Amino acid sequence: MSVSYTHLDVYKRQYIYYAGKIIGAFYTALSVGVLFIVLRKLFIHRLIGLAFTLTYAFATQAYSIAAQANWQHGMSLFLLMTALYLMALKSKKVGVHILLGGIIGLATAIRMTNIFYILIPASYTLSSFFSKRDKAAHISALIGGLTLVVGIFLFINNSFHIPAGYADEFKFSLEIFTPTLFIQNIVAILFSYNMGLFFAFPILLLGATSLYILFKERHQFGMALIPAVGAFLVFAGFWWMWTGGYSPHARLLTEMTPLLIIASALVAHKYVKKQVFQIACIALFLLSVSTNLVYIYMSDTTWHNAYSKQGHREQLNNAWHSSPTFLTYHLRKQTFSISHFSCKDSEILSRDFVYRPSLQYKGIVTLFDGQHIVLPKN
């Protein structure tokens, strides 16, 4: 039997697609495990660390990365989690900081926005400098780390031609930038019901609130997270394609998510015994998991293909005014089937029922009573 080149090409593309899913899931799973170690290094109780590790795994973009194969983010998150582990060590050794800079440099070669993670050790070092805690070691380590970040980034970019600059996109983003547009983009990225991070994953609202609490309490490591979070938001609001391509959940902020989870865990360690805090965490977690399931298992490109994303105006319109919304569109498609078999004297009768959630009737309705199949009885 002969197979045409076209068929082989299709099989090859399908193999690459599924191989990418497996690789993305593998590195994302590794990042989940490293996050738990990071939380334990920050002296967070084991159960609290486990709870927020599971939150990161199932109630944020991490789960969609594993399922939808946003290939860049899997390796990116693993490297950044490793960098966070080195930060959590709070080591004064120059070698550790240089290794940290190298890891962030590799992550930056994958996604240019990962350079924002260098702001965390930089902020921590700066706070140590002003508190007069072995400032010489911290300053030398910071300089060594920053130097290695730039060196590794330039080496990989020049040697292997990995695209990391997007010079034309930067230029275009600058040309159309206005303060009003920037603020509108930030609000839409965080709160819109089609593209908003907090609408898709409400549990991350806890992270944003936690950053404020950590700042107010002058928590040294918690405060060091704030500049990096701010840098991710500023970049996303400035970037012309702030929706991040095919994604319902602020894909450009994917690498920012672990920072919000860590901030939440740091605050939970102190307030976990308060009943209001427990109820809020459980409710936001369940809501985030529910929306995540809809986004992942029912998502395809048909909703996105119906709307243009060629500029800020189109993206803002999609974020707030598209009808149906992304969530309702995919809820209407969410179907499942049940097969019922009955046995008579000479035959077996199979009936297939197909159901879906109904927004109109606020319950589950039957789409159709499937075809009757008569099978001969042995």
Side-chain angles (χ1 to χ4, degrees):
M1 182 177 111
S2 62
V3 181
S4 69
Y5 175 79
T6 303
H7 288 154
L8 286 174
D9 187 51
V10 170
Y11 296 149
K12 181 180 178 181
R13 282 188 279 114
Q14 288 180 343
Y15 170 78
I16 293 173
Y17 176 73
Y18 288 110
K21 279 192 171 185
I22 295 170
I23 294 170
F26 173 73
Y27 283 116
T28 305
L30 287 180
S31 75
V32 172
V34 177
L35 175 63
F36 179 73
I37 299 174
V38 170
L39 295 178
R40 293 292 292 142
K41 283 294 179 182
L42 292 173
F43 304 105
I44 294 172
H45 190 276
R46 184 183 290 103
L47 291 180
I48 296 175
L50 180 61
F52 280 95
T53 300
L54 293 175
T55 298
Y56 166 70
F58 296 105
T60 71
Q61 300 104 312
Y63 191 64
S64 80
I65 292 166
Q68 290 187 1
N70 293 333
W71 299 338
Q72 295 180 3
H73 295 285
M75 172 63 84
S76 177
L77 284 172
F78 170 64
L79 289 173
L80 293 177
M81 287 296 183
T82 305
L84 284 169
Y85 170 75
L86 294 177
M87 296 177 203
L89 293 177
K90 301 178 183 178
S91 174
K92 296 180 181 180
K93 296 181 180 178
V94 175
V96 173
H97 285 259
I98 291 178
L99 178 60
L100 170 61
I103 292 174
I104 296 177
L106 289 173
T108 304
I110 298 174
R111 292 192 63 80
M112 58 184 175
T113 52
N114 290 339
I115 193 65
F116 298 147
Y117 264 66
I118 203 66
L119 295 174
I120 302 173
S123 302
Y124 191 81
T125 300
L126 200 60
S127 65
S128 297
F129 176 80
F130 285 114
S131 62
K132 299 180 180 179
R133 295 181 183 175
D134 202 2
K135 56 186 178 183
H138 281 291
I139 293 299
S140 62
L142 177 62
I143 293 173
L146 285 173
T147 303
L148 202 55
V149 165
V150 175
I152 290 179
F153 175 72
L154 292 177
F155 172 78
I156 293 178
N157 189 43
N158 293 332
S159 300
F160 301 100
H161 307 290
I162 297 176
Y166 300 106
D168 293 338
E169 283 81 356
F170 267 115
K171 183 179 178 181
F172 180 68
S173 298
L174 284 171
E175 288 174 352
I176 63 177
F177 175 83
T178 65
T180 302
L181 193 59
F182 173 78
I183 294 173
Q184 288 177 328
N185 289 346
I186 290 293
V187 173
I189 290 167
L190 295 179
F191 298 104
S192 67
Y193 41 76
N194 282 323
M195 306 290 181
L197 182 72
F198 294 147
F199 186 86
F201 311 112
I203 190 66
L204 296 181
L205 280 168
L206 180 63
T209 306
S210 298
L211 286 176
Y212 172 75
I213 295 173
L214 293 171
F215 175 78
K216 198 172 180 181
E217 295 181 349
R218 295 295 187 266
H219 188 287
Q220 192 178 20
F221 191 85
M223 289 176 63
L225 303 176
I226 296 176
V229 171
F232 275 105
L233 285 173
V234 169
F235 178 86
F238 154 80
W239 195 247
W240 76 276
M241 181 61 81
W242 55 265
T243 51
Y246 166 55
S247 176
H249 45 58
R251 192 169 72 90
L252 295 182
L253 301 181
T254 297
E255 281 76 15
M256 186 187 81
T257 300
L259 305 181
L260 297 180
I261 294 296
I262 291 174
S264 300
L266 289 170
V267 170
H269 186 71
K270 182 175 181 179
Y271 295 97
V272 69
K273 293 183 179 180
K274 292 184 179 295
Q275 190 174 16
V276 174
F277 184 84
Q278 295 174 358
I279 294 173
C281 287
I282 294 173
L284 291 173
F285 172 79
L286 293 176
L287 186 58
S288 299
V289 170
S290 299
T291 56
N292 216 1
L293 290 175
V294 174
Y295 285 161
I296 299 310
Y297 289 111
M298 299 312 299
S299 183
D300 56 33
T301 60
T302 55
W303 186 88
H304 292 273
N305 291 340
Y307 303 100
S308 171
K309 287 187 176 184
Q310 299 307 309
H312 288 280
R313 183 177 299 175
E314 291 79 11
Q315 292 175 81
L316 286 170
N317 184 69
N318 294 347
W320 295 105
H321 304 298
S322 299
S323 181
T325 67
F326 185 87
L327 185 62
T328 56
Y329 175 83
H330 290 93
L331 276 174
R332 292 171 184 173
K333 292 172 53 186
Q334 193 167 359
T335 62
F336 61 94
S337 61
I338 297 177
S339 297
H340 176 264
F341 294 90
S342 59
C343 181
K344 294 185 177 180
D345 294 336
S346 59
E347 62 186 18
I348 298 176
L349 184 64
S350 173
R351 300 177 65 184
D352 297 320
F353 300 90
V354 180
Y355 304 91
R356 69 167 170 80
S358 172
L359 300 178
Q360 180 179 358
Y361 298 104
K362 294 181 172 49
I364 296 176
V365 298
T366 304
L367 283 182
F368 59 86
D369 180 355
Q371 58 182 334
H372 297 241
I373 304 175
V374 178
L375 303 174
K377 189 176 181 181
N378 292 332

